[in-house]
Amino acid sequence: MASALRVLGVDPGLTRCGVGVIDVAPNRAASLVHVGVVRSSPDLPIERRLKAIAEGIRAVLDEHRPHVVAVERVFAQNNRHSVMGTAQASGIALLLAAEHGVPAHTHTPSEVKAAISGYGSADKRQVQTMVARVLRLDALPQPADAADALALALCHAWRSGGTATGGGAVTSLTPAQRAWADAEKLARR
Amino acid sequence: MASALRVLGVDPGLTRCGVGVIDVAPNRAASLVHVGVVRSSPDLPIERRLKAIAEGIRAVLDEHRPHVVAVERVFAQNNRHSVMGTAQASGIALLLAAEHGVPAHTHTPSEVKAAISGYGSADKRQVQTMVARVLRLDALPQPADAADALALALCHAWRSGGTATGGGAVTSLTPAQRAWADAEKLARR
């Protein structure tokens, strides 16, 4: 895949930060490059947790050199106790993209669901199943954070029309419709 | 002040991030080392805004070499539109502290107010007035973000009993009472 777009997806988190790298060809076929989870111990002070997350993401950027980084957009309305740590981890991911000279984009959970499964209120399992199918994986990516990172990367590649800067392809289908059609086509191969 | 504790206070923000460095002597007398505001343009993409904030904070860390970094704790309950950017900027400040091998601490706005003015619901102007008085400044630090950063640094130095790691001095006064008594004493000099 010489002309593939390489996307790093980041599902931000302090305890588990999902990272997934995929290559997406101009014909939208996607393949897995790397998937993993960067962890930090809840016993560490917050600044050292963020440093551990930064080191993990930086290692992936250095090794896999993505063209673009896609990060889940975090909302304050999300009342989980961990939302501030999640926001901080997302800030780290965005900062590291900029420091590597790579553009970054954020996508909401509904955008990811719509891009991957065809509609915005799909459940997690459905999204994971589609991710595994599209990437031709034998099993669902584990843990969920890793699958979510891959879903983000796929979402970005499809929504952006396969460019690092994000200009969409001209088409009469909505991005979700296109994604759905393409994923189905891929799944039937 | 050979044995002074040098504290960098950070009032996190994307548009304006206050940074203030003070030296606090063992007798709790405080003096201004540096105060400023790191800015990023709202026109830039988020990752480049965070990079600009990181560069500004890093420059202060490199030039002034604080022993400890104090950062305002950000709450999700804060419904301002900007709260996620604020959380991301605070994450950057904490990360940079760790990357410089400097311990970091977070303090809530009420903790800062209580430490500086003697009670937790002091208004902004009151806190700024005390900051100017304690640091013997001729005018209130401007903009407010700069004053808030100095207040955070002072709060940390006083609450921690003047150590980078945060062990408080043994005393029968509460931290707020001590801070109040000391600030009053200083202001009368």
Side-chain angles (χ1 to χ4, degrees), chain B residues 95-107:
Chain B
L95 170 68
L96 293 176
E99 291 189 341
H100 279 71
V102 175
H105 295 270
T106 58
H107 299 281

Side-chain angles (χ1 to χ4, degrees), chain A residues 46-48 50-51 54 58 74-79 83-84 87-88 90-92 94-95 97-99 102-104 106, chain B residues 46-48 50-51 54 58 74-78 83-84 87-88 90-92 94-95 97-99 102-104 106:
Chain A
I46 175 68
E47 71 274 20
R48 289 180 53 202
L50 291 168
K51 181 163 176 267
R58 200 177 274 132
V74 186
F75 291 98
Q77 288 74 16
N78 183 330
N79 265 329
V83 65
M84 286 294 110
Q88 291 174 325
S90 78
I92 304 296
L94 293 166
L95 169 68
E99 291 189 342
V102 175
T106 58
Chain B
I46 176 68
E47 71 274 19
R48 289 180 53 198
L50 292 168
K51 181 162 176 270
R58 200 177 274 131
V74 185
F75 291 98
Q77 288 74 18
N78 183 331
V83 64
M84 285 294 111
Q88 291 175 325
S90 78
I92 304 294
L94 293 166
L95 170 68
E99 291 189 341
V102 175
T106 58

